[in-house]
Amino acid sequence: MMNLGLVSIGFLCILNSSTLGDISGSANQSNNLRYKGQRRSVPKFPLINVDGVKSNNGVVCLPDNYPFQDYDPMELKSVKTYSLKQYDESVPQGPSLIPEVDTVRILKKLSLQEKVGQMVHVHIGKFLGCDGLLNVTLAESIFEKYKIGGVYGSPVDMGGRWNIASPQRWANLTNTLQKIAMEKGSKLPFIYSLESPKGAGNIKGSILFPAPVNIGATFNLMHAYIPSQIVAKDIRAAGAHMIHSPSANLNVNRLWKHNYESFGEDPYLAGEMVYTTVRGLQGNYKVDRNRVAACVKHYIGYSGSKNGDDKEPRNIPYHKITEYHLYPFLRGFNAGATTAMLSPNTLNGEAVSSSRYLKNDILRNFLRFSGVVVSDWSEIKSMVKFGTAISPNWGIYQSFEDGVIDVSMSSDGFDFIDGIFDMLNRNAFSKDKIYTSVGRILQLKNDLGLFDNPYSNLGLIETVGSNQDIEKSQIAARESIILLKNENRVLPFHKNDKVVFIGPIFNSTRYMCGGWSVHRKEKSDLEGDSPYYGYGDTLEQAIEKIIGRKPTIFTGFDIDGNLVDDYTELGRHVHRADKVVIGFGEKSAGEANMLDLTESQISLVEYLAKLTSTPIVFLLMQNTPRIIDGIIKYADGILNVNLPGAYGGLPIAEAIYGSFSPSGRMPYTYPKSNLQTDLTYYTPVTSEYDPTFAFGTGFGYNEMVYSSIRVSNDVLFPGIPIKVTVSVTNNGNGPQLEPVLLYASQHVRNRMTPERYRLKDFKKKLINPKETVEYVFHLKAEQFQFRASDSQLYIEGGKITLTINAFTKNVVTKDVLLKIDLDFTDNQQITTGRDNKQSPQGRISNKRPTPHY
Ligand SMILES: *[C@@H]1O[C@H](CO)[C@@H](O)[C@H](O)[C@H]1NC(C)=O
Ligand SMILES: *[C@@H]1O[C@H](CO)[C@@H](O)[C@H](O)[C@H]1NC(C)=O
Ligand SMILES: *[C@@H]1O[C@H](CO)[C@@H](O)[C@H](O)[C@H]1NC(C)=O
Ligand SMILES: *[C@@H]1O[C@H](CO)[C@@H](O)[C@H](O)[C@H]1NC(C)=O
């Protein structure tokens, strides 16, 4: 607590505080920085000492393909609790349409070379020497020559010396580099961005949160907001200012290996989660210096890979793009997202980066996104790969025409700069496009306060890894655990039950985290769990904490599903046990081809089930749902924990032993076979929907009783919302967090066959034993607008069935009538169903999407 003063620094204090480090004599920053009106004081250059390898004298180059970077010897100094200064966040802040006067003033002072440099984000690896440390000579010459405006990535991705750098080392690195940029480069600070889909994993000790798929499963927006706020301050502690998150892609094919980055299959659920994540990351970012720029990605269609492979072309009908896939992006932009990233794929035959329709007509004009658009890693070059451009320079031309893409994020950004000049010399595009993009980029830097102080906020360093943040990760993990089957109340276990745990997931943290955790891609399994040392409890440790003795664990099969223990030996132990838990997992890189379990896994389950009468519980810890249809009959209990993160051990153990009642719900459809990999619940009514577990399913240990649905009016008119109320009673013995999901379905829709259901709203509340709680939803006629196959927006009147908790035993329904006097046409504005104030005023710009212009 004694550190509160340091942490709650408002921006005025930043400028005055002597706690932020010594003044460096060498930098003459009053020369370099240009400030907004009254903010003219010069920030002190913060110094933070780091131990370890110090200089390049007597350089020891790292071997090629250096497999094990050293662990950073810098210890964390995490405080137990902290508090940050709160700013008014009631209204979402977002990018302005045109740059402000003082931004324009800065823009005008830049040379063309300096402007072009602003449009490039270069990987930090480009500034490292052969020893894996910052090479000051090299960095100076790069900034001098190319006037780079942005840096991204973690050193460990590209030959860095340290496996995961401590916040201190990050601060030392980014501040040193920032000083170089301001002395040798364009004299403007660079923006630093990091990939942090579930915590600032690139920073040692920074809290790893449950994966977005788990956040979706909580059906509680708080768990999108709080982790994002924590990530933001950890990123700021490291001296970075932007993160490449959230993902607004829908989980529409279970084969896709990035599904854990997505909030689920439903556009509304994902949309609200994206909205809240952006709010959590950015807050009032124009004054709050503990917040960062969010980057909504990957626009658009990234998740729609047919076979799960990243390189596959995406083919998604445009009405599905407009009806489902765009919605989470729209919500991210409603929340004020400052940046967006283009998807590195083709969609319906066009490369997204070069498609004028997708970039200009849809992203800029229809969605009205006015922030900074960045390319994915080295994607500008991919126009050649996609065969849309004859050379990389023409790829640059295609990407940048219309001034739609503002930033090339690239590990070879220098080619891009040379290419831009080549294209300018050929008069391929006008300098105005560059002014527009650089205006957006500088405005973002201005809004983030970089012109006042671009350095790491050293006061935040001791908040990294705080207990307070660990608790937040655990609460989110608890609420994300989904109970899918519980025959004869096999769960929860009693502490003195004799339980045998089988599987490779019980003594590992990395399998709880999955890909993109502490490293960009999880490296070879050689590294094992070592990068996670010091993070949360493994399941084994957590179970021991709860039952007070060492649990009986057998590996059984390895993470690839190969048998490693003897059947008969396992059978003997299971036979003598009260319960057996079989834990299925997957490698943290999570590459899926098909959804099958291995023969050994299946036959082990069959063997144990036939040999013994010991109740079996499946524990599913995975990004890719493995087909369990053939063996589900042997399972008395099933818990799906997805990827609960580094602190997931204790929450899972607590769920198993009944410290709380699970409250997660499926954020995606769990397929029954490999023929259902792309099944979503919002199918047309005619199609079959019989997965192993439907979207939205899951229950708790307590018996819940639902009242019938009450409506304030059973006719729904445009402009007059109705109240939909349901009461829920907890007949169990413990408190229950109960999510209530409101769906609606139209019986008849002339222009487009109605979907079986569409989720319209959800709420999660705590209900104590014997207590009855009311859930009230406000439903609007406008929520029934839909896009027909011409991508236009329509609404049609008629009977609507409201359904609470579709696909569960607690389903209740009620019919209402939607009455539309005027047929909505494309003159109607798009509404989002939640806050119309934030809706874009745009309309789709052409009747039927056509690639011709
Ligand atoms: C710093 O820059 C200011 C303004 O150009 C100048 O007056 C001053 O002499 C410089 N100081 C040093 C130490 O170079
Ligand atoms: C980085 O750490 C080194 C070694 O302790 C120190 O000499 C240097 O001044 C630090 N630099 C910054 C910018 O903190
Ligand atoms: C640092 O960069 C300079 C200039 O490119 C190069 O000569 C030197 O070898 C580099 N040092 C290391 C340690 O890689
Ligand atoms: C988990 O246990 C297995 C089997 O004993 C062992 O091979 C593996 O190294 C352990 N993993 C960790 C992270 O300790």
Side-chain angles (χ1 to χ4, degrees):
M1 291 304 285
M2 60 187 197
N3 299 294
L4 282 186
L6 254 185
V7 174
S8 1
I9 321 176
F11 113 136
L12 279 174
C13 315
I14 287 182
L15 301 180
N16 299 331
S17 172
S18 59
T19 55
L20 290 177
D22 306 312
I23 304 170
S24 158
S26 55
N28 190 346
Q29 288 155 4
S30 58
N31 217 4
N32 302 340
L33 290 168
R34 291 149 245 202
Y35 303 99
K36 274 193 181 180
Q38 72 278 22
R39 296 187 245 157
R40 290 202 174 267
S41 15
V42 178
K44 288 168 183 173
F45 179 62
L47 287 171
I48 184 155
N49 290 321
V50 286
D51 302 331
V53 183
K54 281 204 174 71
S55 75
N56 293 353
N57 301 333
V59 170
V60 183
C61 290
L62 302 177
D64 286 345
N65 304 318
Y66 190 56
F68 297 105
Q69 279 83 359
D70 272 351
Y71 287 87
D72 188 342
M74 294 299 291
E75 296 288 335
L76 289 183
K77 318 188 276 187
S78 318
V79 292
K80 277 206 169 65
T81 59
Y82 64 90
S83 70
L84 299 176
K85 183 165 179 189
Q86 294 299 307
Y87 292 84
D88 178 14
E89 295 179 25
S90 51
V91 182
Q93 300 292 318
S96 44
L97 272 174
I98 49 165
E100 291 165 7
V101 177
D102 56 335
T103 305
V104 173
R105 200 177 306 134
I106 296 171
L107 173 69
K108 281 188 173 157
K109 283 188 187 160
L110 296 182
S111 67
L112 186 59
Q113 177 81 49
E114 287 169 336
K115 288 193 188 82
V116 171
Q118 290 296 312
M119 299 170 71
V120 180
H121 287 192
V122 174
H123 196 282
I124 183 70
K126 282 277 163 188
F127 305 100
L128 304 178
C130 67
D131 52 357
L133 302 175
L134 181 66
N135 183 335
V136 171
T137 323
L138 182 63
E140 284 179 347
S141 69
I142 291 174
F143 274 102
E144 231 159 58
K145 180 154 184 218
Y146 292 112
K147 322 285 184 197
I148 302 298
V151 182
Y152 75 98
S154 172
V156 74
D157 299 343
M158 276 179 74
R161 178 74 171 76
W162 306 103
N163 199 317
I164 334 170
S166 60
Q168 298 93 312
R169 194 170 299 279
W170 266 108
N172 184 289
L173 172 75
T174 54
N175 291 342
T176 308
L177 198 60
Q178 198 67 265
K179 200 169 130 198
I180 293 171
M182 297 207 289
E183 285 171 4
K184 304 284 177 182
S186 60
K187 314 281 191 282
L188 294 178
F190 57 76
I191 186 167
Y192 201 123
S193 58
L194 279 172
E195 197 83 42
S196 306
K198 38 188 165 163
N202 295 126
I203 302 162
K204 179 177 162 184
S206 182
I207 306 309
L208 289 165
F209 290 94
V213 61
N214 288 63
I215 302 298
T218 67
F219 280 82
N220 186 347
L221 297 177
M222 185 180 106
H223 299 307
Y225 182 86
I226 291 174
S228 306
Q229 197 184 21
I230 293 169
V231 172
K233 69 119 176 117
D234 287 2
I235 292 279
R236 279 287 193 157
H241 327 95
M242 166 178 168
I243 83 164
H244 299 151
S245 169
S247 162
N249 299 121
L250 298 175
N251 177 345
V252 287
N253 187 351
R254 308 301 102 77
L255 291 172
W256 196 48
K257 63 185 179 212
H258 293 286
N259 278 326
Y260 60 84
E261 290 181 43
S262 128
F263 293 108
E265 74 186 35
D266 181 69
Y268 180 76
L269 171 65
E272 295 318 291
M273 289 289 175
V274 167
Y275 178 92
T276 314
T277 301
V278 171
R279 296 295 303 272
L281 289 170
Q282 293 193 169
N284 195 338
Y285 72 101
K286 293 180 184 176
V287 289
D288 187 346
R289 300 299 169 233
N290 301 325
R291 301 310 249 280
V292 295
C295 183
V296 180
K297 67 181 189 183
H298 306 77
Y299 173 88
I300 177 80
Y302 192 36
S303 56
S305 165
K306 190 171 141 206
N307 61 1
D309 193 309
D310 258 2
K311 291 183 277 299
E312 273 299 289
R314 273 54 165 184
N315 291 301
I316 307 170
Y318 276 114
H319 71 270
K320 287 198 175 185
I321 293 284
T322 46
E323 176 72 19
Y324 308 129
H325 293 259
L326 287 183
Y327 184 75
F329 288 88
L330 173 63
R331 293 299 286 149
F333 302 154
N334 290 166
T338 44
T339 80
M341 187 188 292
L342 294 187
S343 168
N345 53 265
T346 64
L347 176 64
N348 301 334
E350 291 179 283
V352 174
S353 299
S354 68
S355 163
R356 188 168 159 180
Y357 174 67
L358 294 171
K359 289 184 304 179
N360 199 55
D361 297 17
I362 302 294
L363 180 59
R364 290 295 192 193
N365 295 339
F366 174 58
L367 295 177
R368 291 283 162 101
F369 180 63
S370 56
V372 173
V373 174
V374 308
S375 76
D376 205 338
W377 192 330
S378 294
E379 270 307 305
I380 301 293
K381 274 194 161 177
S382 66
M383 295 312 114
V384 175
K385 175 184 80 189
F386 289 134
T388 68
I390 195 162
S391 67
N393 288 1
W394 280 103
I396 292 170
Y397 166 70
Q398 284 180 3
S399 309
F400 280 81
E401 64 173 347
D402 307 320
V404 172
I405 305 188
D406 305 303
V407 166
S408 167
M409 181 171 69
S410 171
S411 47
D412 34 48
F414 315 129
D415 297 0
F416 168 83
I417 293 177
D418 297 336
I420 285 247
F421 278 102
D422 178 41
M423 286 290 118
L424 282 171
N425 289 339
R426 297 189 202 196
N427 286 322
F429 55 84
S430 101
K431 288 175 190 157
D432 294 353
K433 318 275 186 208
I434 291 174
Y435 299 161
T436 311
S437 288
V438 178
R440 291 184 188 123
I441 293 162
L442 294 180
Q443 185 60 50
L444 176 60
K445 289 185 175 182
N446 200 346
D447 289 339
L448 287 168
L450 303 195
F451 296 135
D452 296 322
N453 185 351
Y455 299 114
S456 148
N457 182 345
L458 299 190
L460 290 176
I461 283 178
E462 55 205 351
T463 73
V464 175
S466 155
N467 282 11
Q468 170 180 333
D469 296 350
I470 293 175
E471 251 168 54
K472 300 298 191 313
S473 182
Q474 285 174 331
I475 295 171
R478 281 189 194 107
E479 281 195 39
S480 75
I481 293 171
I482 312 167
L483 177 63
L484 290 167
K485 190 171 182 188
N486 199 15
E487 297 289 298
N488 308 315
R489 296 187 169 267
V490 59
L491 286 162
F493 295 171
H494 299 290
K495 283 183 187 161
N496 39 13
D497 281 345
K498 269 169 65 185
V499 184
V500 170
F501 296 89
I502 300 175
I505 59 171
F506 293 98
N507 66 349
S508 156
T509 307
R510 70 186 186 281
Y511 298 141
M512 291 197 286
C513 294
W516 287 99
S517 292
V518 296
H519 290 141
R520 182 166 77 85
K521 289 190 177 129
E522 294 319 304
K523 300 205 268 182
S524 78
D525 261 8
L526 281 175
E527 215 184 21
D529 254 31
S530 51
Y532 295 92
Y533 178 73
Y535 287 80
D537 294 320
T538 61
L539 258 170
E540 179 174 12
Q541 292 158 342
I543 294 167
E544 186 176 346
K545 267 190 188 164
I546 289 181
I547 63 176
R549 59 183 191 279
K550 280 232 171 296
T552 310
I553 298 177
F554 298 93
T555 306
F557 44 89
D558 66 17
I559 199 68
D560 295 315
N562 307 307
L563 208 63
V564 296
D565 286 329
D566 180 43
Y567 270 32
T568 46
E569 167 79 9
L570 291 174
R572 260 200 305 280
H573 287 280
V574 171
H575 189 66
R576 288 197 298 259
D578 299 321
K579 317 261 164 80
V580 55
V581 177
I582 305 180
F584 298 99
E586 66 182 18
K587 276 220 172 101
S588 36
E591 311 253 340
N593 287 317
M594 282 295 164
L595 304 182
D596 304 294
L597 290 169
T598 62
E599 274 307 311
S600 314
Q601 287 169 317
I602 292 170
S603 49
L604 174 64
V605 172
E606 283 171 344
Y607 176 81
L608 295 176
K610 286 171 184 163
L611 180 80
T612 74
S613 57
T614 309
I616 297 179
V617 171
F618 291 171
L619 179 61
L620 313 174
M621 183 188 289
Q622 57 205 7
N623 170 52
T624 305
R626 296 306 200 282
I627 306 296
I628 53 170
D629 195 49
I631 51 171
I632 196 168
K633 58 177 177 284
Y634 303 124
D636 296 273
I638 300 180
L639 280 170
N640 181 10
V641 300
N642 291 294
L643 299 170
Y647 301 93
L650 193 60
I652 296 170
E654 288 170 344
I656 293 174
Y657 286 94
S659 314
F660 67 91
S661 172
S663 67
R665 298 290 184 263
M666 286 298 294
Y668 57 86
T669 297
Y670 200 108
K672 193 172 257 181
S673 76
N674 279 305
L675 299 176
Q676 293 186 344
T677 63
D678 60 355
L679 187 64
T680 57
Y681 82 89
Y682 43 94
T683 54
V685 275
T686 45
S687 59
E688 245 179 77
Y689 183 70
D690 64 335
T692 295
F693 301 113
F695 174 86
T697 53
F699 50 93
Y701 295 143
N702 297 298
E703 170 82 15
M704 309 304 287
V705 179
Y706 277 67
S707 75
S708 49
I709 298 177
R710 303 184 293 282
V711 290
S712 59
N713 189 343
D714 50 18
V715 185
L716 188 55
F717 297 98
I720 312 172
I722 61 168
K723 268 202 307 198
V724 178
T725 309
V726 69
S727 307
V728 188
T729 306
N730 179 356
N731 272 354
N733 300 319
Q736 180 69 51
L737 267 167
E738 181 77 353
V740 173
L741 279 55
L742 172 67
Y743 301 81
S745 28
Q746 278 201 276
H747 289 223
V748 177
R749 230 167 43 181
N750 174 264
R751 290 181 184 82
M752 199 77 196
T753 178
E755 298 119 323
R756 184 177 304 268
Y757 296 109
R758 281 298 292 278
L759 183 69
K760 297 294 177 191
D761 211 341
F762 57 85
K763 281 196 166 71
K764 192 175 199 176
K765 292 186 177 187
L766 181 71
I767 313 182
N768 287 314
K770 309 296 171 251
E771 194 189 5
T772 298
V773 165
E774 258 189 10
Y775 290 70
V776 182
F777 301 97
H778 296 270
L779 191 70
K780 294 178 191 159
E782 290 78 357
Q783 283 170 278
F784 293 89
Q785 294 175 103
F786 63 96
R787 294 203 173 267
S789 56
D790 60 1
S791 290
Q792 298 300 308
L793 196 58
Y794 297 99
I795 187 165
E796 291 182 12
K799 198 153 140 197
I800 282 173
T801 298
L802 304 178
T803 303
I804 295 277
N805 297 345
F807 316 114
T808 75
K809 76 176 185 47
N810 285 326
V811 62
V812 268
T813 63
K814 165 109 192 151
D815 289 350
V816 295
L817 186 67
L818 175 62
K819 232 171 139 53
I820 306 296
D821 293 331
L822 294 168
D823 200 19
F824 278 43
T825 65
D826 61 346
N827 284 329
Q828 289 301 322
Q829 292 174 358
I830 315 297
T831 59
T832 63
R834 274 233 163 163
D835 51 354
N836 293 322
K837 262 194 292 205
Q838 292 305 314
S839 304
Q841 304 304 303
R843 277 182 286 137
I844 203 153
S845 58
N846 55 350
K847 274 268 173 209
R848 185 175 285 273
T850 146
H852 293 291
Y853 288 90

